[in-house]
Amino acid sequence: MTSPTARRSHDREILALAVPAFGALVAEPLFLMADSAIVGHLGTAQLAGLGIASAVLTTVIGVFVFLAYATTAAVARRIGAGDRRAAVQQGVDGIWLALLLSAGLVLLTAALAPQAADLLGASPTAAPYAVTYLRISALGIPAMLVVLAATGVLRGLQDTRTPLLVAVAGFAANTALNLGLVYGAGLGVAGSAWGTVLAQNAMAAAYLVVVVRGARREGAGLRPDAAGIRACARAGGPLLVRTLSLRAVLLIATAVAATLGDAEIAAHQITMAIWSFVAFALDAVAIAGQAIIGRHLGAGDVAGTRAATRRMVEWGIRAGLLLGLLIVLARPLYVPLFTADPTVQARLGTVLLLAALTQPVGGVVFVLDGVLMGAGDGGYLAAAMLATLVVFAPAALAVPGLGGGLTALWWAMNLFMLTRAAFLVLRVRTGRWLVTGAVRA
């Protein structure tokens, strides 16, 4: 049993990493919320177009979140092993991988924007706005991937404060640019896209300055290293599968909601915005887990790894309970900010309760996901998420035919979270993920 002194030590470390990480994480949904609030005053079609485009971009960028996760774990292991130069070098290789991947993504996103909008069911009035936003925003993809990789470097170095500062500055710049370009310059939806692209590039530049300075200080190379880039790609491969499966779940949910009616898809979009915001809050503890677990395993400290894991799970459950209560109790405050439509508000009543119901489970899911990522256990995470997708997809796709409506869809979402929790808890109990050393064999 962990002593009170050890628990306080874990708490201080978790707080030191998780609080700044939370601030950086919530900047992402705040970007979307700010864009939605600004574009929403242009008209329903413009907002619908932004919603479709944002779903595509979130999926495209989210698929490559392994650039942050795999880099965090690999860098943290080397920090635990006492090799700071190798840790920074690993991070530089991750940034080069991000740049290589982004080249093709820009072209594909711009070229396939009309097909993507059509696939997600954009109406004839909303589709042109979705395509415009997508094609301009594609230019920000290299910056977004660099931000992911560089964030992973700093997290692995046990630094979550710098990403917070960059995220806050980026959010402020994004909001100011969007207001100026959408209304001041009269560019409409295109102005919102350009404002976001400019803010993202400024964030990437700030990160590169920090990483380059760190590399020079530690004597790490800045040129692309083929072997190092390949190693980053191999580490990220399983996490790519894991993330693709997760994104498939979210896209299936959106596609099913779109078949249920305008009020249903609107209510689903609002619930997903709240759900995503809460998920980012829970993910802050998971990010602390990635950095802490990677460092402990790199140092060969299995007992410390287990103790930190137990404490973070306790944090996850408590945070989930608190956030679930906030979702329910704060409804009168935030629902009117999203919609004044009484039909949509009525749909939200039950669905938000369902979203709140599994937040304690979500706390466990996010923490253990971060723990296993920190351990470099990507292969298991990929297999578990694929299996979870197999459970979720039939349940969600059956909703329209069974006439269960949006409520039934969110019961399927809760099934998704419970299934994830089961797989993660089973893995952690086996202890097979506890592989020590500077590099996971």
Side-chain angles (χ1 to χ4, degrees):
M1 186 174 179
T2 308
S3 69
T5 301
R7 283 199 300 272
R8 285 194 294 272
S9 176
H10 287 309
D11 289 346
R12 284 194 297 270
E13 187 172 30
I14 293 167
L15 275 172
L17 291 170
V19 172
F22 170 74
L25 283 168
V26 298
E28 183 174 333
L30 286 175
F31 265 57
L32 179 56
M33 287 183 185
D35 289 357
S36 298
I38 292 167
V39 172
H41 291 285
L42 297 174
T44 302
Q46 289 89 334
L47 182 58
L50 173 65
I52 294 293
S54 295
V56 175
L57 283 170
T58 301
T59 301
V60 170
I61 301 304
V63 162
F64 294 94
V65 74
F66 72 84
L67 290 166
Y69 294 160
T71 304
T72 298
V75 171
R77 273 185 177 269
R78 285 162 173 79
I79 290 294
D83 192 347
R84 193 173 183 87
R85 190 203 67 78
V88 176
Q89 186 65 62
Q90 177 80 35
V92 171
D93 293 336
I95 291 174
W96 277 112
L97 177 61
L99 287 170
L100 290 172
L101 291 171
S102 65
L105 282 175
V106 172
L107 296 175
L108 281 173
T109 303
L112 299 178
Q115 292 84 347
D118 183 62
L119 182 65
L120 289 185
S123 67
T125 54
Y129 296 109
V131 172
T132 296
Y133 193 93
L134 272 174
R135 284 181 167 161
I136 296 171
S137 295
L139 299 174
I141 288 175
M144 287 187 271
L145 295 193
V146 167
V147 166
L148 285 176
T151 300
V153 177
L154 296 178
R155 289 173 181 169
L157 294 171
Q158 317 294 296
D159 175 10
T160 55
R161 292 186 180 183
T162 300
L164 171 61
L165 295 174
V166 175
V168 169
F171 172 71
N174 178 71
T175 303
L177 286 166
N178 276 12
L179 285 169
L181 294 173
V182 171
Y183 298 119
L187 296 179
V189 169
S192 177
W194 279 117
T196 301
V197 167
L198 291 171
Q200 288 160 345
N201 276 277
M203 291 171 67
Y207 274 118
L208 288 175
V209 168
V210 173
V211 173
V212 168
R213 284 178 179 171
R216 288 174 175 167
R217 185 170 56 249
E218 302 299 332
L222 293 173
R223 293 181 179 179
D225 177 71
I229 293 171
R230 284 195 299 271
C232 290
R234 283 195 299 272
L239 293 180
L240 174 61
V241 174
R242 171 253 181 207
T243 304
L244 283 171
S245 302
L246 174 59
R247 290 292 162 182
V249 167
L250 301 180
L251 284 175
I252 288 170
T254 299
V256 169
T259 68
L260 301 176
D262 289 346
E264 282 73 12
I265 184 61
H268 177 76
Q269 189 70 20
I270 292 168
T271 306
M272 282 302 301
I274 301 300
W275 191 79
S276 298
F277 185 86
V278 169
F280 278 115
L282 294 173
D283 206 24
V285 183
I287 285 170
Q290 292 172 31
I292 292 168
I293 297 303
R295 195 189 73 242
H296 277 305
L297 290 176
D301 185 2
V302 173
T305 301
R306 289 187 179 278
T309 299
R310 284 194 296 271
R311 192 57 178 164
M312 284 186 286
V313 168
E314 292 173 8
W315 272 71
I317 293 171
R318 292 171 182 172
L321 285 167
L322 176 61
L323 291 166
L325 286 172
L326 285 174
I327 289 174
V328 174
L329 298 178
R331 283 179 299 170
L333 299 176
Y334 64 79
V335 168
L337 297 176
F338 286 97
T339 180
D341 188 329
T343 305
V344 176
Q345 290 185 354
R347 299 288 189 278
L348 284 169
T350 303
V351 175
L352 286 171
L353 289 175
L354 289 173
L357 186 63
T358 53
Q359 290 309 309
V361 176
V364 174
V365 165
F366 279 93
V367 167
L368 294 185
D369 209 38
V371 164
L372 295 182
M373 283 182 190
D377 199 20
Y380 181 83
L381 288 172
M385 192 60 77
L386 277 171
T388 302
L389 173 61
V390 169
V391 172
F392 169 79
L397 294 173
V399 168
L402 296 176
L406 195 60
T407 299
L409 176 60
W410 273 86
W411 275 115
M413 289 293 292
N414 284 354
L415 172 64
F416 157 67
M417 292 301 294
L418 289 166
T419 305
R420 283 186 75 187
F423 279 120
L424 293 170
V425 169
L426 285 172
R427 181 62 170 182
V428 169
R429 285 184 174 178
T430 66
R432 294 174 186 169
W433 53 281
L434 291 164
V435 179
T436 59
V439 179
R440 183 183 172 97

